[in-house]
Amino acid sequence: MGDNSFGTLFSFTSFGESHGPAIGCVVDGVPPRLNLSEADIQPYLDRRKPGQSRFVTQRQETDQVKILSGTFEGKTTGTPVMLLIENTDQRSKDYGAISESYRPGHADYTYDQKYGHRDYRGGGRSSARETAVRVAAGGIADLVLRQILGDKFSIQGSVVQIGPHEIDRDNFNAEQIDKNPFFSADADAVQKWKTYLDDVRKAGSSAGAVLEIVAQGIPSGLGQPLYGKLDAELAAAMMSINAAKGVEIGGGFALSAIDGAAAGDEMRLDDTGRPVFLSNYNGGVLGGISSGQDIVLRVAIKPTSSILTPRRSLNRAGEEVDVVTKGRHDPCVGIRGVPVAEAMMAVVLLDQVMRHQAQTSILPEQV
Amino acid sequence: MGDNSFGTLFSFTSFGESHGPAIGCVVDGVPPRLNLSEADIQPYLDRRKPGQSRFVTQRQETDQVKILSGTFEGKTTGTPVMLLIENTDQRSKDYGAISESYRPGHADYTYDQKYGHRDYRGGGRSSARETAVRVAAGGIADLVLRQILGDKFSIQGSVVQIGPHEIDRDNFNAEQIDKNPFFSADADAVQKWKTYLDDVRKAGSSAGAVLEIVAQGIPSGLGQPLYGKLDAELAAAMMSINAAKGVEIGGGFALSAIDGAAAGDEMRLDDTGRPVFLSNYNGGVLGGISSGQDIVLRVAIKPTSSILTPRRSLNRAGEEVDVVTKGRHDPCVGIRGVPVAEAMMAVVLLDQVMRHQAQTSILPEQV
Amino acid sequence: MGDNSFGTLFSFTSFGESHGPAIGCVVDGVPPRLNLSEADIQPYLDRRKPGQSRFVTQRQETDQVKILSGTFEGKTTGTPVMLLIENTDQRSKDYGAISESYRPGHADYTYDQKYGHRDYRGGGRSSARETAVRVAAGGIADLVLRQILGDKFSIQGSVVQIGPHEIDRDNFNAEQIDKNPFFSADADAVQKWKTYLDDVRKAGSSAGAVLEIVAQGIPSGLGQPLYGKLDAELAAAMMSINAAKGVEIGGGFALSAIDGAAAGDEMRLDDTGRPVFLSNYNGGVLGGISSGQDIVLRVAIKPTSSILTPRRSLNRAGEEVDVVTKGRHDPCVGIRGVPVAEAMMAVVLLDQVMRHQAQTSILPEQV
Amino acid sequence: MGDNSFGTLFSFTSFGESHGPAIGCVVDGVPPRLNLSEADIQPYLDRRKPGQSRFVTQRQETDQVKILSGTFEGKTTGTPVMLLIENTDQRSKDYGAISESYRPGHADYTYDQKYGHRDYRGGGRSSARETAVRVAAGGIADLVLRQILGDKFSIQGSVVQIGPHEIDRDNFNAEQIDKNPFFSADADAVQKWKTYLDDVRKAGSSAGAVLEIVAQGIPSGLGQPLYGKLDAELAAAMMSINAAKGVEIGGGFALSAIDGAAAGDEMRLDDTGRPVFLSNYNGGVLGGISSGQDIVLRVAIKPTSSILTPRRSLNRAGEEVDVVTKGRHDPCVGIRGVPVAEAMMAVVLLDQVMRHQAQTSILPEQV
């Protein structure tokens, strides 16, 4: 498997640079006979699309997805689904400065160290633009999961912190998430974040964020111990997203601070006699396997590295320079990370569903 | 690849249950002609060995490693190195209660949900006992890395928080780490943690912890964007450790709260004209590739789930029961997680070194 | 995945050298709740065991398999099954000559070229002894397949040619296969082969063979186009067996010589209205996917390279030497290859069953 | 890894159907800083292009390759190289018959059995059209290998048999191969094959072929025992080609018929004191590892299944029908298989070079 692939049975292989002709991916392992057209995938991309508020980049990418293979007469055939997104907003411009200088916090220096040659236009391969590919692949995963798991299933992400400002958990209302430019479940946080973001932007700076992704309606039993654990694969999926610097499941880091008697997720039967957990400190995963509770994880996204404030850096010649990053950048790249993290979770979950099915439902007495 | 394997080129495949005859792994991709005997690996296991203080489990496992293949005349041959650790402390006892009831916070319920059948003795496959295997495999990785990277290279883990008590960063002294039963770099934290742990243990409870693992002397260029990123693979490696609930790199979650101008890791030249970073918010990884700075990550470990306090739960028959977990359990399982996390980091780093070498050093003009 | 692993979902990772303490493997992806004990696997090994006639090696390996993990109370748990076979017939002897000289036709020279260091005792890792591991892993696969596919399923190998002497197809009787020391389905070929083998052995030489492996009761639909084709994976599986130099499916090389009108495997309905093929030139595989016909393949095994006739060769110092290979070698290594090839086919088939299941049976409308 | 990917470190992921908008692949693991443009890859595709003689299909595909990612300023960047080939000759036609009936020898029946839904236009995914993708990916591998291995390296395929007519080995002249429409090294065979092909075509039938692929200038040491053996991976690569039914290395099946004393590939020193083999029955591979001799393998290709002679078959409704396959088909699909087999060999060899490099050249004392 190449290192630009993700997934075991349901997998996608990504390609493309920010300012090349196109980005896209080949999605393999798609179940056959799924109704699938471009119109089914496009809504996922539209949620991530730039230019929808002043708090995200003003680049004008339409992010129209094209399916080049793997469907016939409106249904998947079981062969690879190729998804192509052409780059349309490649402004002709002078990359002189950025081509020679390393933008702090970006991958410019490390790509040059690794490969000795890089496509510096808009960050090239390391651009957050590539995340559109993940959203498209994740869209297919989500569509399949909906078929398999039914109406109780959903993956819903939101922003729970921008800069130092967290949401108030008492205000959490999932229905608010799509009604504001921040994917915030707390309507009251919106104004606070607007003010904060306007301030950092005016100061030539940017903001970090924390995302929370929740999957509901997930059956117990998903996850492959010990090295394909559900939470381990989710951690890798989230940490592979641009600017992610931390991942936690359930209680996460806060769980380290409490004692075992407080943290155990006790069980009882509900009124209908079905098992229920009395808390969810484990975020729906025990021993790497889903417990049937909601899967809950959070992702730390660092502040956008492209800022107008001059920063000390080096150039390719090894000389000290100061770098200012102009352009149409997201003041808080975490916001548009929400659909990306949802997509990655969908891919991990479907892949685990398929692996679970393969091992545990083939013996006659298992069914 | 099976789901009990870890790594791409340098990999290990793990097997074994807590109370079966043995645990072990097959390590593949080991470079040939490395000096390797059991005596080289044993010290890594000894650091993790139980029974070394009252703050860890009193089980008496000697954890003697045997090499069953892959070496000849004291050197590796390039073929798989089989590492076997026999289980010696399998006390004959009545598992009646634990065999039927689900211990809260453990994988009992989820294994039964997934497989419909489980080895309940001591947690079976989900026991932390399996981490001895990781330490052994990681020992080989560490030995290889020392050869490749020389004296500047080290991987050093420590405990930076137990329960609510963090170390004082001003007291951080790496030389202290092996001089106390907590792998603490802060000598002053030791007494505080002793008191806290004695208290939670007396209360029939347990403690969580945060580990910090630092790799020094790592060259720039390691890591495979976009889905084999160094930090993504480290995140998966750490999250696959028993009881881990969170991972963060560099500034991690705290980075979400500061602004971009504060977080950028600016660069300058040092006195000898070599590139230096002026901070390390990114934990040594930019765009998924090592920058040459120290790799710094933290892992959140939840409190030990095996506690004497009665907990509400269910049994296999689906009835409500109360569960008390007796036995010789670590009051803070995080402590012995330090050598495990070091080992997993060593495996990831060596695997990435080999993948980097394969792609970037084969063209004549690349050398 | 390491290069000593085979399989995607159902996989095994092999280790061990001819004269080390043990050989074995870790079998991953085993379905849970399968009845499995050592007594279930041993019969597979016994078919391959040396010393059963004068036409195979007289080494006295008992090849007793031990299960070290992955079963509990007589059933698999879904966790890795570790199979260990101790080496018991390690005669202390002087390896002086073989340790320094390259035996023609063996891997001595290439292992040294690759690794610069090799375990020369008995061929080390490249010894045919390792094939016992495959037989053990394949035994588990076969047991699972029997559960899934029922009584119509079988994998049956035989020797169809030794040296220049082919069987007479008109005499083919599968019931004969286990009644002679050659796995011959043609009772008349037995005497001819005995004479031929006695002759080549007396002449200090050895014989090649062609094996034919037939799987019956295989459902249509197995195989993953385009690069996980059933026949491509079978080809890799067979070619990975020691001394294999060719693989063909169905009509194989003979098919190249006939014309398309003769070779098409036409279809009709049988008396019960079920699809039948009127020939099987394609060996049960069309476009990489099983058709429901018998899977038929043949493997060419070269003559044993260890012979008493002196051969010209080189030693490690790069000097010209003559080499005589003494010892207890199979005069026709192909004979004991039959259970090995059967085992590899079982592993491929089960792995494909699981992959097929994962992709094509998860959507509600697919079931 | 998805099942439409091939390779471990140097890999490609293929997509596309015969009559969809495009076919192509994502090539991952390409070394950085390789000079690469579309003009470098196009010549490989042109060798395979249809319509170049009356002995191949008359479809008019230009097979123009476009690079959509992974290069910058004429050099590879180390990121995935996306290769796109648009389908231009998609004649609008009535697929009524073929859409409902299973063409004997084709994958129509098995795709339907597996997926329950298939793109029947021109064979869809199972069309030999996809092999253009392999040739493009293999072109990159070949370009890299040329850089690494220098002038002595070459991969050269030829047709050595069409129908029952083999070449005369005494006439073998590699310089002839590109001078006739059959990739024949024997100029005398050309006329015989023309006559034969014209005859089978007039008879409404088709011809099979045997290809021979030879790699020269390959260093010793390539190949990963025991399950990533060089010959096992070559066998899988070749058997994954459309219509391939057999693969043999070196002496292949003929080797089974001779005795060990005749088959050993003895060694001596040449005039310059370098090791030489006195024969090449093993086809350049010993124990799964290259020996430094030429890699020699042969592939059996069955006769084209699309013929004008009516064949008995079934339709999707399960009724008996007769099928005639009209259209512009290769009378001998094996001919255009030569560049495809060369390409697959190039991919395997480069992948093995990279894996070998990764394991055996990283320890300081190994270099």
Side-chain angles (χ1 to χ4, degrees), chain B residues 335-349:
Chain B
I335 298 169
R336 291 204 296 138
V338 168
V340 180
E342 290 171 344
M344 294 304 288
M345 187 182 264
V347 171
V348 170
L349 286 171

Side-chain angles (χ1 to χ4, degrees), chain B residues 6-217:
Chain B
F6 186 84
T8 299
L9 293 186
F10 182 87
S11 69
F12 67 95
T13 297
S14 157
F15 68 89
E17 280 81 36
S18 174
H19 285 62
I23 57 174
C25 64
V26 182
V27 187
D28 206 354
V30 182
R33 306 203 300 279
L34 177 77
N35 291 316
L36 185 73
S37 69
E38 287 141 0
D40 296 311
I41 302 173
Q42 195 60 46
Y44 293 91
L45 284 162
D46 290 345
R47 289 189 75 216
R48 179 200 158 278
K49 201 167 59 179
Q52 304 190 90
S53 81
R54 74 174 186 273
F55 305 105
V56 297
T57 177
Q58 297 305 306
R59 283 186 78 182
Q60 293 300 328
E61 289 289 358
T62 54
D63 283 352
Q64 286 292 322
V65 67
K66 290 183 189 170
I67 297 177
L68 293 198
S69 70
T71 62
F72 185 61
E73 297 178 342
K75 288 180 188 294
T76 57
T77 58
T79 64
V81 177
M82 201 285 180
L83 301 175
L84 190 79
I85 302 169
E86 291 173 9
N87 291 327
T88 56
D89 188 28
Q90 305 153 266
R91 293 194 189 173
S92 163
K93 71 176 180 184
D94 177 13
Y95 288 100
I98 189 179
S99 71
E100 292 302 319
S101 297
Y102 300 128
R103 296 168 298 161
H106 278 288
D108 302 349
Y109 175 72
T110 52
Y111 268 65
D112 248 15
Q113 288 287 306
K114 182 177 189 68
Y115 298 117
H117 177 53
R118 75 188 157 92
D119 180 348
Y120 47 72
R121 300 168 302 165
R125 181 72 179 148
S126 70
S127 166
R129 170 132 193 77
E130 188 270 347
T131 58
V133 165
R134 303 169 185 240
V135 171
I140 295 180
D142 191 65
L143 290 165
V144 176
L145 287 167
R146 285 175 189 279
Q147 291 287 324
I148 299 171
L149 301 177
D151 288 345
K152 290 181 182 168
F153 164 75
S154 70
I155 295 173
Q156 173 78 71
S158 65
V159 176
V160 296
Q161 181 180 332
I162 288 184
H165 305 291
E166 294 184 50
I167 63 164
D168 181 344
R169 288 279 161 181
D170 293 337
N171 291 342
F172 195 99
N173 177 357
E175 294 184 6
Q176 288 295 320
I177 293 173
D178 283 329
K179 296 184 177 160
N180 61 76
F182 301 111
F183 299 109
S184 172
D186 172 5
D188 293 356
V190 169
Q191 190 51 52
K192 208 164 24 180
W193 291 351
K194 282 184 178 172
T195 305
Y196 178 76
L197 278 176
D198 284 336
D199 286 351
V200 295
R201 199 170 38 177
K202 280 172 202 158
S205 189
S206 60
V210 176
L211 319 182
E212 181 169 290
I213 318 295
V214 179
Q216 295 185 304

Side-chain angles (χ1 to χ4, degrees), chain C residues 3 113 205 227 259 355, chain D residues 3 130 205 220 227 259 355:
Chain C
D3 286 304
Q113 288 287 307
S205 189
Y227 298 95
D259 76 279
R355 287 147 77 186
Chain D
D3 286 304
E130 188 270 348
S205 189
S220 61
Y227 299 93
D259 75 279
R355 288 148 76 186

